[in-house]
Amino acid sequence: MGFEFWMFLSLVYVSHFHFHFHGLSLAEKAPYYSFVHEAAMAPEVSFYDYIIIGGGTAGCPLAATLSESANVLVLERGGSPYENPSKPDKGNFFPNLLDVSPSSYAQEFTSEDGVYNARARVLGGGSVINAGFYSRAEPEFLKQAGLNEALVNYSYQWVEKKIAFEPPMLQWQSALRDGLLEAGVLPNNGFTFDHIYGTKIGGTIFDGDDHRHTAADLLEYANPYRIKVYLHATVEKIIFETKVFSRTRAQGVVFEDELGKKHWALLTKDYKSEVILSAGALGSPQLLMLSGIGPSQQLKKFGIKVVMDQPMVGQGLVDNPLNVLLVPSPSPVELSLVSFVGITRFGSYIEACSGISFTPSWSRSVAKALAAILNQTEQSSTKLFQEGILNPESLLDTRIRGGIIFEKVKDPISSGYLELRNMNPRDNPKVTFNYFQAPEDLMKCVHGVKIAIDAVYSKSFSNFRYEILSAKALLELIVNLPLNQRPRHLTSAFSLEKFCMDTVMTIWHYHGGCRLGKVVDRDYKVLGVEALRIVDGSTFTSSPGTNPQATVMMLGRYMGLKILQERYFGKYRKT
């Protein structure tokens, strides 16, 4: 094990020395716009050692690493987060997710289960639109994936130097954390990146000025002379070479720019060159199918030439169910996204945010639902609530006066699948997650919501809740909001089982579709195909840690070093 890690470090040393010799220290900030361009500027045909499809949470660190010693192309279907530097910042979290314009960072879709969702469409991927929490994976996840512990830690640290910070713990977040401790989610583990049972403060990708740092920032590590990043580059398919008595081999890709012009990016003649899919849990299986690798019956339905019948592509797709409580506050609250997490032993994670902004239409929906509930209470004659009933916007403008508590089910047994909707790579595929199909998942949710309610009604949190609002009223508020397209049971506010099923949402942590051992091997190479790998969350068999982004970025760095080691030193056995 030690020999393997030192071999990797020798590769890092050699590549960094080579880079420094050519005049740019890795400690300096790479000139982004010297290598990031619109796809319309790409030549009609070009050649690279590595072609990475997707400049997202895994693709950016992977590309930066590979560029140390090879020529790399990154094809990103979205735009740049740097064009409007303040847009991804903390206060714009929900407005960005709810933005349905063609140029938005998030492409909306609704699963076949009737749950609203969003898929990143920007350089930096999900790290540009998420709640920013940074926490490492549990040791069991890393062991199951067969990852080298020393290299994992080295890769996490490489990421953390650029984009991870300790979040401030102001009054609302601190009160709820203490409430969670009162509710029995023990011990208090303080601040740590590590995954530990109990309640802990984790990392954040927001700095002290509430400015977001994303996976795109990891391109600062890249060698600007050996990398090209094209924006608004939509990959239509991977090109394969098929010969009799030889394994199918990836040759390159066809992509389209924002003007509709086609371009061909091809691999160099070096047999170690590769196409690497980093398009995410939706994009990677979708592109495999569009390229002819997937369930043959589905491919033939759309007239796609079958390169390889692979029935497991698109299977084993999982989304961690999310249920929430919205808690109005009589006291002012800070603007905060996820700062701490309660990691329970029964399989539920509890997180929270406060003082966030919605779009005006969502704010009015929440305010009217709250006012309607308050109007039913015997004490609704209080001045504050009278005003709210007559004018709901006074209770809640675009920035909520209160907070949202999230309950996420860990490692759900329920799984679904992905199917092509059509042959347009710009459109989202059909996705079914089968939320709460397994009774065990539902029980985890019920238990987790109970813990969240106990935290809300704890002594520590008493200054940030209205005594007039019962737990039933908080549940009823969520039941009456248009959070999904699923039908409501009459008992949703009385039965936590019905509440979980009826108000389920996504936490955007979906994974699978190209699972390890089913579609890719332990080196993330696509089974049965040469020169093609997948490095992203589509390979995961579970969601790592409480929030996956730290591990997805780590994996990009980790696999970049593994691929370079294989390129220059060849494969060797672990010792």
Side-chain angles (χ1 to χ4, degrees):
M1 188 73 75
F3 173 75
E4 180 183 34
F5 183 56
W6 285 111
M7 284 288 286
F8 279 116
L9 287 186
S10 68
L11 171 65
V12 174
Y13 174 78
V14 169
S15 62
H16 283 201
F17 176 81
H18 173 80
F19 196 7
H20 184 76
F21 180 77
H22 280 79
L24 181 68
S25 168
L26 284 176
E28 297 173 11
K29 195 169 185 176
Y32 281 109
Y33 298 102
S34 69
F35 60 83
V36 178
H37 306 285
E38 290 295 326
M41 297 180 64
E44 186 174 358
V45 180
S46 55
F47 295 86
Y48 294 88
D49 298 322
Y50 296 99
I51 299 169
I52 298 174
I53 304 172
T57 317
C60 285
L62 175 64
T65 302
L66 292 176
S67 75
E68 294 170 5
S69 299
N71 294 319
V72 180
L73 172 66
V74 179
L75 298 171
E76 168 53 47
R77 71 192 187 108
S80 169
Y82 302 109
E83 290 181 1
N84 185 350
S86 63
K87 186 177 178 181
D89 288 350
K90 185 181 289 186
N92 295 323
F93 169 57
F94 271 107
N96 280 333
L97 278 176
L98 299 173
D99 181 4
V100 296
S101 68
S103 61
S104 69
Y105 294 157
Q107 182 181 10
E108 66 168 351
F109 70 96
T110 302
S111 75
E112 302 302 298
D113 315 272
V115 173
Y116 301 125
N117 214 314
R119 174 187 175 193
R121 181 174 52 188
V122 61
L123 186 68
S127 66
V128 180
I129 62 173
N130 64 21
F133 197 60
Y134 184 97
S135 186
R136 294 184 177 188
E138 62 272 43
E140 294 81 6
F141 175 91
L142 302 172
K143 184 177 180 180
Q144 185 180 27
L147 300 178
N148 178 283
E149 182 180 356
L151 187 61
V152 163
N153 290 331
Y154 173 83
S155 300
Y156 272 129
Q157 292 165 9
W158 181 88
V159 172
E160 289 154 9
K161 288 176 183 177
K162 285 286 183 189
I163 67 167
F165 306 89
E166 181 176 354
M169 286 295 290
L170 303 180
Q171 290 183 328
W172 190 92
Q173 286 275 350
S174 295
L176 187 60
R177 175 202 58 192
D178 293 345
L180 207 55
L181 293 169
E182 275 190 53
V185 187
L186 298 167
N188 182 355
N189 291 306
F191 168 68
T192 178
F193 290 144
D194 293 334
H195 187 95
I196 308 173
Y197 286 115
T199 298
K200 71 159 192 172
I201 301 168
T204 179
I205 60 174
F206 293 101
D207 63 25
D209 296 321
D210 292 343
H211 177 66
R212 182 189 291 267
H213 295 259
T214 74
D217 290 12
L218 298 173
L219 290 173
E220 292 176 12
Y221 283 116
N223 181 338
Y225 308 110
R226 306 193 77 161
I227 184 172
K228 286 285 186 186
V229 177
Y230 288 124
L231 305 175
H232 299 112
T234 302
V235 175
E236 293 187 346
K237 64 178 180 178
I238 302 166
I239 305 169
F240 294 102
E241 178 184 38
T242 55
K243 293 182 179 179
V244 180
F245 306 120
S246 297
R247 295 181 72 177
T248 298
R249 185 178 186 85
Q251 284 187 308
V253 303
V254 180
F255 67 95
E256 193 173 85
D257 63 31
E258 64 272 29
L259 303 177
K261 182 181 178 181
K262 284 182 169 48
H263 305 257
W264 284 259
L266 304 175
L267 295 176
T268 58
K269 294 298 183 181
D270 190 327
Y271 76 97
K272 294 180 180 177
S273 297
E274 296 178 346
V275 174
I276 306 174
L277 265 169
S278 294
L282 300 191
S284 289
Q286 179 188 24
L287 272 170
L288 276 185
M289 291 183 192
L290 290 175
S291 304
I293 297 179
S296 59
Q297 287 186 337
Q298 189 179 159
L299 303 186
K300 291 175 181 177
K301 174 184 173 182
F302 289 97
I304 298 171
K305 179 183 176 182
V306 179
V307 174
M308 185 174 70
D309 181 18
Q310 175 35 298
M312 296 310 299
V313 173
Q315 298 298 308
L317 195 67
V318 175
D319 190 15
N320 295 79
L322 174 76
N323 292 85
V324 302
L325 297 175
L326 173 59
V327 185
S329 172
S331 304
V333 300
E334 70 265 17
L335 167 63
S336 70
L337 292 182
V338 180
S339 302
F340 73 90
V341 60
I343 301 175
T344 70
R345 291 187 178 274
F346 60 82
S348 176
Y349 300 141
I350 300 170
E351 304 171 345
C353 62
S354 65
I356 57 176
S357 294
F358 288 139
T359 61
S361 61
W362 267 82
S363 297
R364 284 191 292 271
S365 296
V366 176
K368 289 177 180 177
L370 179 58
I373 290 170
L374 295 173
N375 196 26
Q376 299 171 12
T377 67
E378 295 179 359
Q379 302 179 52
S380 61
S381 58
T382 62
K383 182 177 178 181
L384 171 67
F385 297 142
Q386 278 185 333
E387 180 186 2
I389 293 162
L390 295 172
N391 178 20
E393 283 79 357
S394 68
L395 277 178
L396 187 67
D397 55 20
T398 56
R399 185 172 177 270
I400 70 167
R401 194 172 66 200
I404 300 175
I405 303 172
F406 310 107
E407 186 281 331
K408 167 187 171 179
V409 172
K410 176 187 185 296
D411 290 340
I413 299 171
S414 308
S415 69
Y417 53 90
L418 175 151
E419 297 178 312
L420 291 179
R421 187 179 303 278
N422 53 41
M423 292 183 63
N424 187 348
R426 289 181 170 82
D427 291 344
N428 284 311
K430 292 173 63 176
V431 178
T432 303
F433 291 115
N434 290 323
Y435 296 103
F436 298 125
Q437 189 177 59
E440 297 92 330
D441 299 339
L442 187 59
M443 290 304 99
K444 287 181 183 179
C445 177
V446 169
H447 200 169
V449 172
K450 285 180 179 178
I451 293 291
I453 291 172
D454 287 345
V456 169
Y457 288 92
S458 66
K459 181 179 179 181
S460 298
F461 197 67
S462 58
N463 290 335
F464 294 102
R465 70 168 187 273
Y466 288 106
E467 293 296 334
I468 191 176
L469 287 176
S470 64
K472 175 181 171 295
L474 293 181
L475 297 176
E476 189 177 347
L477 171 58
I478 296 301
V479 169
N480 288 324
L481 291 176
L483 299 178
N484 60 35
Q485 295 179 358
R486 293 163 73 88
R488 301 291 191 266
H489 292 84
L490 294 176
T491 57
S492 293
F494 298 91
S495 162
L496 287 182
E497 286 85 356
K498 296 294 192 297
F499 176 82
C500 286
M501 290 190 293
D502 291 358
T503 67
V504 65
M505 300 168 66
T506 183
I507 196 169
W508 309 285
H509 295 172
Y510 44 84
H511 56 276
C514 297
R515 287 194 170 202
L516 195 69
K518 302 291 186 180
V519 177
V520 298
D521 65 17
R522 289 279 180 168
D523 293 316
Y524 296 86
K525 294 180 178 180
V526 175
L527 296 168
V529 182
E530 298 290 339
L532 180 63
R533 295 194 208 223
I534 304 175
V535 180
D536 59 27
S538 71
T539 65
F540 292 167
T541 56
S542 63
S543 185
T546 61
N547 302 66
Q549 71 166 340
T551 302
V552 176
M553 287 187 274
M554 177 279 292
L555 185 67
R557 172 62 173 176
Y558 181 101
M559 284 307 302
L561 290 173
K562 289 267 287 185
I563 292 168
L564 287 181
Q565 180 273 330
E566 187 175 319
R567 184 179 187 87
Y568 291 105
F569 295 110
K571 294 195 71 172
Y572 54 86
R573 294 181 179 176
K574 294 182 181 180
T575 57

